[in-house]
Amino acid sequence: MTATREVPPTGVEAQPLVEEPAAPERRLSGFLRWTTSTDHKDVGLSYMITAFVFFLAAGCLALLMRAELADPGQEMVGPGTFNELFTMHGSIMLLVFLSPFAFGIANYCVPLMIGARDMAFPRINLLSYWIYLGGGLSMVFGFVTADGAADFGWFAYTPLSDSVRSPGLGAELWLVGVALLGISGILSALNIVVTVFTMRTRGMTMFRMPILVWNFVVVSVMVLLVFPVLTAAAAMLWTDRNLGSVVYDATAGGQPIIWQHLFWFFGHPEVYILVLPYFGVVTEVFAVFSRRPVYGYKGLVFATCSIGALSLGVWAHHMYATGAVLLPFFGVMTMLIAVPTGVKMFNWLGTMWLGRVRFSTAMTFAIGFLAVFVIGGVTGVILASPALDFHLTDSYFVVAHFHYVLSGGAVFGVFAAIYYWWPKWFGKKLHEGWGHVHFWLNFIGFNLTFFVQFILGLEGMPRRVADYTEASGFRPLNVVSSIGAAVLGVSVLPFLWNAYRTWRRGEPAGDDPWDGQTLEWATSSPPPIGNFPEGLPPVRSERPLWDLKYPDRKATTGADPAARKATR
Amino acid sequence: MSDPAAQGVEVADRRFPTEAKYFMAIGVFFALIATIYLIFSDGEWIGVSLLYAAVIVALVCAWFMTTRVQGAQADVELYEEGEGDQTVYLPTRSHWPFLLALGTVVTANGFSVGMWLFVPGVIVFLYALAGFIREGRDRA
Amino acid sequence: MTGEPHERRPRWLVPSLSALTAVVISGCDLGLPSPITREGENVTRLWSVFTILALAIVALIIGLIVVVVIRYRRGHRDDIPSQRQYNFPLEITYTVIPLVIVGVLFGLTIPVQENLGSKEGAADVYVEVVGFQWQWQFRYFEDESYEGDPRIVVSGSPEQVPVLVLPVDATVRFRLVAQDVIHSFWVPEFLEKRDLIPGAETDVSPGIDNVVEVETTETGEWTGRCAEYCGLQHAYMDFELRVVDEAEWQSWSSEAADATGEEGT
């Protein structure tokens, strides 16, 4: 089945569109590879490396903030700079790091996992990467303008973000960046949806796709539904600032609250857009390192779809305190999301249950993800209750909550993905010992930093404050949090060393170092252009490679008779 | 090979494929949510219009999946070894996306920074767009 | 989770639940400041239900993770474990139970939130809270129309934060008005906050309910803060809340009214 197929005789000319390639194409290298290679693996790596650099930058901004907050009074930065720091920290982490990193994983892994040669639109893929990089840089360039970067918070509430309260080029560049990132995201999402819907290999029905691919389908559809809203909202803010329109201007008949509705209609699904890909990552990791099929696969797919669908109906839970929203509707919708999320938790536990769990670094990060994400999840239910949210919103409790979801949840997922697929990406394994050092520093630092912030928020510390008074009593816990942040900052160093070390003298990984189950492990590491020169194993379940390796140990619906025989 | 039935393989009916069902489900769900919200929200028209817009997008996609692209994965149910669709043109290198992105980014920044950035941005953008389209056309 | 887990689960559940009960009996507010309003007392009760449940769920999941880590680690057992993928009754169970929990929590939330939003009958004190970058002004009015000149106006200065004085055991209605950007009126001990939205007091933004009512229950002094990020000096936009007894309230309000009248003329 390696011969070129004929075009089905529906068109005018029934002839092959592709000639047999005479010789395998040579890989580009260096700058040319970065700028002109449309191979999905190259674009995916570009995405991930760029996003990771932005991650380190935004992490440094956070460390500066924590250093300032370690003590009452202004020590390192004034309130003006502090406001720029948290605005850019949030904007970069959410828009320029987490989501593009996920798109990088999607670019690299989705075609491999569904047995395709490339993404559906390789050139548009490369285009969206470069628009992304341009958008991210536009935003960051605010720091070198005369008035500094944008300083109105990552959700840019009007009227604070209008041209009177936030003049200056930094704010304009932030808007430009948001619009560009929106366009880039839409192009990427479109590409993923079309790829998954039209390029799957034979036998790869929708319900045989790996969970990661499913999650990317859900995420991409969400992106297509909500990113245009953000781009439109940003465009209207731009016209308000520059052309004198008054969409958000209360003094001239506009409504500031419109911005909040539009922004959160994007902003809440965005949180799930950020975290769902990493749900997918840890699902794959749990299954492989437990030597088990994904437990309750179909239930998990439906849970993911319902999270995606429900997330579009909950935007105003960020706006309870405005007094302008239908509290019971958004309360119940938000709490309902806990149900499919709970289902996913139990499915993950069920995947590991009875398994043979191997604590590779990737698996450790995935388990760490589960442990911290449950805290982020239950505090989300608490925040969903309007009666409690009136106290908790805009306090450090919220800061702690979303860091447990995004910094604990998603970033642990990022590292799980890095340790899991590194051998596939570069053909070498990261060092496991250094990986565990990285994990434990990260885990301890993370919990130290953010757990105390729950308590700070309850005690009454508002978010986004550059300073607090000695009398407020917030000092001791802020010191703890800052120490934790330092540990968290240091935790990246073993990883960077590990990456460098592996690059210099890592051991070759082979095609399938983890006893993988899905198709990306059925080709060489890294895969050549075209991905599967040797052909693909037949796809009869969501674990084609497993079925090939262990033909007599397929997944069972009821109790597994083979396992009973083996253990007795 | 082009006739699955000849191979004795049971092929599911793909006139209403899973892809279409997926979008249909989204559309129906949002229609439900949007209507509930419309009734109870007392004229909060921003959310209502956004939710109904989502319904329209989902239903258009469902319609498109049912009528226009049903053949795209016609053979996906076959349990053969294979490499998927080999008939699509997938270039492996092109400098046009980079230039097009450069044009887009410079133009967008030009909106805020000034004409001196905007004008060259538009020129690069149009040049790259033409190249991008012609590259796609020439390969056939 | 194919069969065996059921009899295992209580082993982890029982100690964790009893530990939680101990926390509850020890009688703290689980981190929440103790409330100084009637409304806040309801919030405290709701908070303890949510938090205990949340801690129980966290304990359950972490417990299960610990079981997995200890019992199912690969070690030397390099064989292939059970490949069972579905257990329909179990899956239904762990879908329905969260659904029930969510339903209960939502049911508990509704009365508390309606109580927070209720403004029936006449209040004892009417205050218009005006927020602007980066200061507060408190205007005391005679009735709920908030019309005419305020009887008392309290403003802050760069050296002195404004003091919001209220009588104890009184119903106080706040009308929240923003003059420039969005602010948020938060006394942590009220256990609720509400945003000040520009244009909300006019017809421009319909449907914004910017009136809050509380019943004070304790005398004392507390710090109030702006909770919605509002620009450069957001961190310093504090005020002081002083709840006083009836006698002190009478003397303060007549003095303050005189002072306001003099300023006006």
Side-chain angles (χ1 to χ4, degrees):
Chain A
M1 247 318 291
T2 45
T4 310
R5 282 200 298 129
E6 299 278 316
V7 185
T10 47
V12 188
E13 295 166 77
Q15 56 169 272
L17 286 175
V18 177
E19 292 91 52
E20 285 287 327
E25 272 184 271
R26 209 165 50 83
R27 264 189 193 279
L28 299 161
S29 61
F31 185 75
L32 266 185
R33 181 173 170 195
W34 189 29
T35 50
T36 71
S37 169
T38 57
D39 183 44
H40 73 97
K41 299 178 287 297
D42 290 342
V43 179
L45 283 181
S46 298
Y47 256 113
M48 287 187 278
I49 294 168
T50 309
F52 199 82
V53 172
F54 277 113
F55 167 63
L56 295 179
C60 292
L61 302 184
L63 289 179
L64 278 175
M65 284 191 283
R66 280 314 325 167
E68 168 61 38
L69 286 173
D71 214 31
Q74 296 174 20
E75 269 105 27
M76 305 189 48
V77 294
T81 313
F82 188 89
N83 295 344
E84 288 173 32
L85 288 179
F86 72 69
T87 302
M88 294 308 286
H89 168 76
S91 306
I92 294 174
M93 284 296 190
L94 296 174
L95 298 169
V96 196
F97 161 56
L98 273 177
S99 175
F101 194 93
F103 281 136
I105 298 176
N107 267 311
Y108 205 106
C109 294
V110 165
L112 285 169
M113 284 179 147
I114 62 173
R117 285 183 303 147
D118 204 318
M119 298 287 276
F121 308 115
R123 292 184 307 160
I124 288 182
N125 204 14
L126 185 59
L127 172 68
S128 68
Y129 165 72
W130 281 100
I131 293 181
Y132 148 67
L133 179 53
L137 288 178
S138 304
M139 215 179 237
V140 174
F141 273 145
F143 276 118
V144 296
T145 61
D147 300 314
D151 61 352
F152 36 57
W154 84 276
F155 39 76
Y157 274 3
T158 53
L160 184 63
S161 57
D162 67 15
S163 53
V164 180
R165 274 91 188 187
S166 300
L169 196 52
E172 293 286 333
L173 289 176
W174 185 88
L175 275 178
V176 168
V178 165
L180 286 171
L181 292 165
I183 294 168
S184 156
I186 292 166
L187 291 176
S188 288
L190 196 68
N191 214 339
I192 293 168
V193 172
V194 176
T195 305
V196 174
F197 281 4
T198 64
M199 309 263 298
R200 301 194 307 275
T201 190
R202 298 189 173 195
M204 183 65 76
T205 60
M206 290 283 275
F207 278 94
R208 286 192 200 130
M209 300 191 307
I211 292 288
L212 182 75
V213 178
W214 260 111
N215 285 27
F216 276 118
V217 171
V218 174
V219 162
S220 302
V221 171
M222 286 162 71
V223 166
L224 292 177
L225 291 174
V226 302
F227 269 43
V229 178
L230 172 72
T231 306
M236 285 192 282
L237 184 55
W238 190 86
T239 63
D240 266 21
R241 292 173 59 95
N242 293 288
L243 304 179
S245 66
V246 292
V247 180
Y248 308 120
D249 185 358
T251 59
Q255 295 182 22
I257 209 84
I258 295 178
W259 170 266
Q260 297 195 21
H261 277 295
L262 293 175
F263 185 85
W264 288 119
F265 194 85
F266 148 79
H268 194 79
E270 166 74 358
V271 177
Y272 289 91
I273 289 167
L274 298 177
V275 82
L276 279 178
Y278 303 105
F279 281 9
V281 169
V282 297
T283 311
E284 302 301 326
V285 170
F286 283 143
V288 165
F289 291 104
S290 308
R291 286 196 164 167
R292 295 257 299 143
V294 172
Y295 188 74
Y297 171 89
K298 282 180 185 149
L300 201 51
V301 170
F302 284 120
T304 309
C305 294
S306 14
I307 290 178
L310 285 169
S311 75
L312 260 86
V314 300
W315 72 93
H317 68 212
H318 298 265
M319 300 161 58
Y320 287 153
T322 59
V325 298
L326 184 62
L327 298 178
F329 177 83
F330 290 106
V332 77
M333 290 291 282
T334 309
M335 286 187 193
L336 275 179
I337 292 192
V339 177
T341 313
V343 168
K344 285 173 95 81
M345 297 246 165
F346 287 111
N347 279 338
W348 289 328
L349 285 164
T351 304
M352 291 186 281
W353 205 265
L354 299 184
R356 298 287 179 265
V357 178
R358 191 181 142 197
F359 297 102
S360 68
T361 312
M363 185 64 167
T364 319
F365 267 105
I367 294 174
F369 161 93
L370 190 53
V372 296
F373 189 80
V374 65
I375 298 176
V378 295
T379 50
V381 178
I382 293 174
L383 286 165
S385 160
L388 298 175
D389 184 77
F390 285 139
H391 177 62
L392 302 172
T393 188
D394 281 324
S395 76
Y396 256 84
F397 190 90
V398 173
V399 176
H401 157 71
F402 66 71
H403 278 96
Y404 262 85
V405 173
L406 293 175
S407 176
V411 175
F412 279 31
V414 165
F415 284 120
I418 289 176
Y419 282 94
Y420 181 53
W421 279 300
W422 190 281
K424 185 51 62 182
W425 298 339
F426 301 109
K428 291 171 176 179
K429 259 183 175 175
L430 285 168
H431 189 265
E432 287 289 311
W434 282 110
H436 280 93
V437 172
H438 173 204
F439 169 78
W440 284 109
L441 281 176
N442 197 338
F443 189 78
I444 293 165
F446 168 80
N447 282 299
L448 214 53
T449 310
F450 295 111
F451 195 82
V452 292
Q453 294 186 357
F454 282 122
I455 303 164
L456 279 173
L458 291 175
E459 286 176 355
M461 181 161 168
R463 69 191 284 197
R464 298 179 163 176
V465 287
D467 199 0
Y468 51 90
T469 57
E470 188 72 61
S472 63
F474 298 151
R475 187 179 178 185
L477 291 180
N478 270 302
V479 171
V480 174
S481 183
S482 293
I483 292 171
V487 176
L488 199 53
V490 169
S491 78
V492 181
L493 299 179
F495 170 70
L496 293 177
W497 161 249
N498 200 349
Y500 173 78
R501 188 191 165 283
T502 307
W503 173 56
R504 298 293 296 191
R505 53 191 160 99
E507 49 184 305
D511 294 354
D512 182 17
W514 310 122
D515 197 9
Q517 305 179 344
T518 42
L519 288 178
E520 79 270 30
W521 304 107
T523 181
S524 62
S525 304
I529 289 175
N531 290 346
F532 297 102
E534 315 282 319
L536 285 159
V539 182
R540 291 193 175 76
S541 75
E542 73 271 11
R543 302 190 296 168
L545 188 58
W546 176 276
D547 292 346
L548 186 74
K549 288 186 285 192
Y550 308 101
D552 53 340
R553 295 305 304 274
K554 292 191 170 57
T556 58
T557 314
D560 186 354
R564 198 147 296 168
K565 226 179 293 166
T567 41
R568 292 291 138 82
Chain B
M1 162 149 53
S2 57
D3 184 13
Q7 298 178 323
V9 180
E10 187 105 4
V11 175
D13 186 0
R14 288 196 51 88
R15 272 174 303 180
F16 188 45
T18 319
E19 293 88 333
K21 285 179 197 150
Y22 176 73
F23 279 110
M24 188 63 94
I26 295 175
V28 170
F29 177 79
F30 286 147
L32 185 74
I33 295 296
T35 309
I36 294 173
Y37 190 62
L38 174 69
I39 294 167
F40 289 103
S41 73
D42 192 25
E44 198 281 282
W45 47 268
I46 309 159
V48 170
S49 39
L50 288 174
L51 284 173
Y52 277 111
V55 174
I56 294 168
V57 171
L59 291 183
V60 166
C61 288
W63 167 80
F64 191 77
M65 289 290 161
T66 322
T67 60
R68 298 301 169 95
V69 291
Q70 54 174 298
Q73 291 266 281
D75 57 356
V76 77
E77 310 274 344
L78 294 177
Y79 298 161
E80 278 183 80
E81 289 181 42
E83 286 178 39
D85 200 339
Q86 289 285 300
T87 59
V88 192
Y89 168 70
L90 298 170
T92 52
R93 68 180 70 167
S94 167
H95 56 279
W96 294 113
F98 173 71
L99 287 177
L100 190 56
L102 187 70
T104 311
V105 171
V106 172
T107 308
N109 278 287
F111 272 111
S112 288
V113 176
M115 274 297 159
W116 60 272
L117 208 56
F118 184 76
V119 173
V122 170
I123 294 169
V124 175
F125 177 80
L126 291 176
Y127 170 69
L129 187 65
F132 193 96
I133 293 170
R134 287 202 6 227
E135 186 185 51
R137 207 189 279 155
D138 291 348
R139 51 92 183 167
Chain C
M1 290 194 195
T2 52
E4 287 166 75
H6 297 290
E7 60 267 32
R8 283 283 169 187
R9 205 174 283 169
R11 206 179 74 179
W12 291 95
L13 209 58
V14 172
S16 48
L17 277 182
S18 49
L20 280 168
T21 326
V23 171
V24 178
I25 291 168
S26 68
C28 56
D29 293 325
L30 295 163
L32 218 54
S34 53
I36 56 169
T37 63
R38 188 78 60 220
E39 290 76 8
E41 287 164 13
N42 295 327
V43 175
T44 309
R45 272 192 291 277
L46 187 68
W47 163 256
S48 47
V49 174
F50 269 73
T51 313
I52 291 165
L53 215 57
L55 288 172
I57 291 167
V58 170
L60 171 70
I61 300 287
I62 304 272
L64 288 172
I65 292 175
V66 171
V67 174
V68 164
V69 166
I70 293 172
R71 266 185 86 199
Y72 298 114
R73 69 175 184 280
R74 193 171 297 178
H76 298 297
R77 297 175 299 171
D78 213 13
D79 59 336
I80 293 170
S82 162
Q83 297 296 303
R84 181 173 189 177
Q85 194 172 16
Y86 293 99
N87 183 342
F88 197 61
L90 183 62
E91 286 175 64
I92 291 292
T93 313
Y94 62 59
T95 310
V96 171
I97 291 177
L99 205 59
V100 171
I101 294 176
V102 161
V104 170
L105 289 180
F106 184 65
L108 291 173
T109 288
I110 290 292
V112 181
Q113 132 199 346
E114 298 207 326
N115 175 255
L116 285 175
S118 74
K119 292 171 280 281
E120 279 157 23
D124 300 316
V125 184
Y126 296 92
V127 184
E128 186 175 67
V129 176
V130 184
F132 50 94
Q133 286 177 321
W134 293 273
Q135 195 54 276
W136 301 92
Q137 191 178 58
F138 303 108
R139 300 175 181 162
Y140 294 70
F141 283 85
E142 297 293 345
D143 58 36
E144 60 187 320
S145 67
Y146 290 94
E147 273 166 8
D149 286 333
R151 201 165 66 83
I152 304 171
V153 177
V154 179
S155 304
S157 67
E159 297 80 39
Q160 179 61 46
V161 296
V163 183
L164 171 64
V165 182
L166 299 175
V168 74
D169 294 323
T171 313
V172 187
R173 193 171 296 178
F174 299 105
R175 181 176 184 249
L176 308 176
V177 178
Q179 284 187 341
D180 37 36
V181 301
I182 300 172
H183 303 275
S184 195
F185 175 72
W186 189 28
V187 179
E189 284 75 14
F190 279 1
L191 302 185
E192 64 173 316
K193 69 171 74 65
R194 215 56 68 91
D195 291 351
L196 289 64
I197 310 230
E201 71 284 5
T202 63
D203 292 337
V204 171
S205 302
I208 298 185
D209 179 10
N210 276 50
V211 181
V212 194
E213 199 173 275
V214 298
E215 192 188 334
T216 54
T217 54
E218 273 181 56
T219 57
E221 287 170 17
W222 295 275
T223 307
R225 299 187 178 89
C226 175
E228 184 69 65
Y229 172 63
C230 59
L232 189 65
Q233 303 286 338
H234 165 62
Y236 303 100
M237 194 171 154
D238 290 355
F239 62 92
E240 190 187 324
L241 169 70
R242 198 176 294 159
V243 181
V244 297
D245 58 33
E246 187 60 31
E248 210 174 325
W249 164 252
Q250 290 300 345
S251 67
W252 177 84
S253 64
S254 60
E255 264 174 49
D258 290 346
T260 307
E262 278 166 32
E263 263 170 49
T265 54

